[in-house]
Amino acid sequence: MKDAILKGFAEDKMTKFKNTLNTRTNHIPFLDLKLINREYEKTINEVLAKKVSSGWYILGEEVTNFEKSFAEYCETKYCIGVANGLDALVLLLKASGFPPGSEVLVPSNTYIASILAISIAGLAPVLVEPDINTYLIDPKKIEEKITPNTKAILVVHLYGKCCEMEPINKIAQKNNLKVFEDAAQSHGALYQNKKAGNLSDGAGFSFYPTKNLGAMGDAGAITTNDDNLASRIRALRNYGSGEKYIFDDQGINSRLDEMQAAILSVKLPNLDKENNIRQSIADRYLTEIRNPAISLPFAETVEEDVWHLFVVRTKDRGKFREFLMQNKIGSDIHYPVAPHKQLAYKEWNTESYPISEKIHQEVLSLPLNTTLTEEEVSYIIEKINQY
């Protein structure tokens, strides 16, 4: 079934975008946002023109409609639109009311925004090593990091795969901790038949243009089932105001833009279909790439993951990337430097997180997006098997 979906999608793309695809016969980019968004162009132009003529540009009906739709999609009570994914995490942590300096456990293998959010919220990030197989925070390493000052665990559903939430939530309940999700890369991902964003006390999403559900600029959202948390976040995103010109808290200006909300509402109905295409491509990579020099991603949850990125590992990443480049195949590195090795956290630079360091030294992301044709996927597989 997945092959049929992929083939049908590829044939449709070949018809609609033949000229564009022909120009990249000898080059497969890692990501082509222009082509990804082209099928939405007409509808987006129409809704934006309508919004421009409406005269209402901040916290209007487009934001309200998208918040309702995305909450329904994630099967949560609330969705609160904010300016970007980093703000989503910061506001989630600030709204929780932890004392300044409280510790929040976070994976040592993540994009730095997960850690920055904790620092910006006035809290103390404590790094926990990942599982080398999944690249996600290792539940077995969490309890040893808990202290009397620990207040929460911030998990990161990296690359489109959900963390092992059952044992993590049990640890949190045992130790009276909150659990939050960084769901920036996992729109629509499943864990035990529940969607990312509905697996904890609250979740932060990014709709950066490269995401599975991407805006055409910065945008983000928070999902939660907690009435009080939702109410507090709504106020904090709007200067701390729950009522016009009344400020009970010191908030920030972080409101989802009406234009971006309109764009996201156009694209949301296709999210599951596009995630299915990603799953189909991932399934081909997993079953057809047969090169012992290339370590493939964890494959047991292929149909639950939404494959925001398809990340492999190899000992000599530079050599492998050069090989792909010579064969006109784009790639990217997510991410080349571990957070504890960044100058932004120079106090950690001498610390050792060997699993994270190994991951950051070896990972390489292959093209995986809805513009890839069946022929391009076959070519990528063929060349990697020749490496």
Side-chain angles (χ1 to χ4, degrees):
M1 181 177 178
K2 286 293 177 66
D3 288 343
I5 292 172
L6 178 59
K7 185 175 181 180
F9 185 82
E11 289 173 350
D12 180 56
K13 291 292 183 185
M14 286 294 284
T15 301
K16 292 169 68 177
F17 308 130
K18 185 176 180 181
N19 291 337
T20 303
L21 290 171
N22 281 343
T23 65
R24 70 185 214 188
T25 299
N26 295 317
H27 174 67
I28 303 173
F30 175 72
L31 186 64
D32 188 340
L33 285 177
K34 185 177 179 179
L35 188 56
I36 284 173
N37 286 314
R38 184 169 295 179
E39 68 173 298
Y40 299 104
E41 191 171 327
K42 183 176 183 294
T43 307
I44 286 173
N45 285 338
E46 289 172 355
V47 298
L48 292 183
K50 181 181 176 182
K51 177 46 59 178
V52 168
S53 66
S54 75
W56 193 304
Y57 309 121
I58 300 291
L59 294 183
E61 65 178 12
E62 292 296 344
V63 170
T64 298
N65 291 341
F66 175 72
E67 288 177 338
K68 181 177 183 295
S69 296
F70 196 65
E72 289 175 355
Y73 179 80
C74 295
E75 300 175 348
T76 58
K77 287 179 69 175
Y78 303 104
C79 168
I80 304 100
V82 296
N84 55 68
L86 175 59
D87 281 0
L89 296 176
V90 173
L91 287 167
L92 191 56
L93 291 165
K94 282 191 171 184
S96 299
F98 301 132
S102 296
E103 295 172 353
V104 178
L105 307 189
V106 64
S108 55
N109 176 49
T110 184
Y111 183 57
I112 200 159
S114 314
I115 298 169
L116 285 174
I118 300 169
S119 300
I120 294 168
L123 307 172
V126 175
L127 304 184
V128 180
E129 282 272 67
D131 183 320
I132 189 62
N133 296 307
T134 65
Y135 309 145
L136 306 175
I137 191 169
D138 188 341
K140 293 188 277 304
K141 293 182 170 64
I142 289 176
E143 286 200 89
E144 65 191 46
K145 295 285 186 150
I146 296 173
T147 74
N149 199 34
T150 306
K151 301 300 180 186
I153 304 168
L154 175 61
V155 303
V156 183
H157 302 317
L158 202 62
Y159 307 149
K161 179 189 300 294
C162 285
C163 296
E164 294 179 65
M165 296 305 297
E166 184 177 11
I168 292 170
N169 282 323
K170 285 181 178 178
I171 291 169
Q173 290 165 9
K174 175 183 172 183
N175 292 277
N176 195 29
L177 305 177
K178 294 288 187 182
V179 179
F180 302 119
E181 301 162 70
D182 181 341
Q185 299 184 5
S186 61
H187 315 135
L190 294 172
Y191 177 82
Q192 296 182 353
N193 295 317
K194 292 182 71 173
K195 289 232 178 79
N198 191 24
L199 300 169
S200 66
D201 294 290
F205 285 87
S206 167
F207 303 118
Y208 188 75
T210 61
K211 305 302 184 187
N212 291 32
L213 178 61
M216 293 184 177
D218 278 316
I222 297 160
T223 56
T224 184
N225 294 308
D226 186 314
D227 298 355
N228 292 330
L229 189 62
S231 178
R232 186 162 166 75
I233 291 167
R234 286 193 189 281
L236 287 175
R237 74 167 176 182
N238 190 35
Y239 299 101
S241 175
E243 180 183 347
K244 192 172 184 179
Y245 300 135
I246 304 298
F247 305 93
D248 295 329
D249 293 291
Q250 296 179 15
I252 62 173
N253 175 12
S254 181
R255 301 172 296 213
L256 176 61
D257 182 85
E258 278 281 288
M259 305 294 186
Q260 299 302 335
I263 291 167
L264 291 167
S265 290
V266 169
K267 299 173 80 172
L268 179 58
N270 283 336
L271 178 57
D272 284 343
K273 181 189 78 173
E274 294 191 356
N275 282 343
N276 285 339
I277 301 303
R278 290 175 175 273
Q279 290 166 343
S280 298
I281 296 169
D283 189 51
R284 285 202 62 193
Y285 282 161
L286 289 166
T287 55
E288 297 178 40
I289 293 176
R290 302 183 186 92
N291 186 326
I294 307 299
S295 295
L296 298 173
F298 186 73
E300 290 183 12
T301 56
V302 63
E303 293 192 359
E304 294 180 340
D305 306 345
V306 293
W307 300 97
H308 173 61
L309 295 168
F310 192 93
V311 179
V312 300
R313 285 191 296 114
T314 188
K315 295 291 185 184
D316 193 338
R317 177 173 63 199
K319 180 181 176 183
F320 180 50
R321 196 175 194 196
E322 178 63 27
F323 171 83
L324 293 176
M325 194 179 304
Q326 289 172 355
N327 286 280
K328 310 299 183 184
I329 299 170
S331 63
D332 207 343
I333 301 173
H334 298 89
Y335 303 95
V337 182
H340 70 282
K341 293 297 184 182
Q342 301 282 359
L343 285 179
Y345 288 96
K346 55 182 177 294
E347 65 272 23
W348 293 342
N349 287 176
T350 59
E351 295 187 15
S352 176
Y353 293 90
I355 300 174
S356 288
E357 289 162 21
K358 179 178 179 63
I359 290 169
H360 285 265
Q361 289 164 6
E362 296 182 354
V363 291
L364 189 72
S365 300
L366 303 180
L368 198 165
N369 59 77
T370 57
T371 71
L372 289 173
T373 67
E374 191 172 10
E375 292 77 11
E376 288 173 326
V377 173
S378 295
Y379 176 80
I380 293 167
I381 293 168
E382 176 189 352
K383 291 303 174 184
I384 291 175
N385 284 335
Q386 290 175 1
Y387 171 69

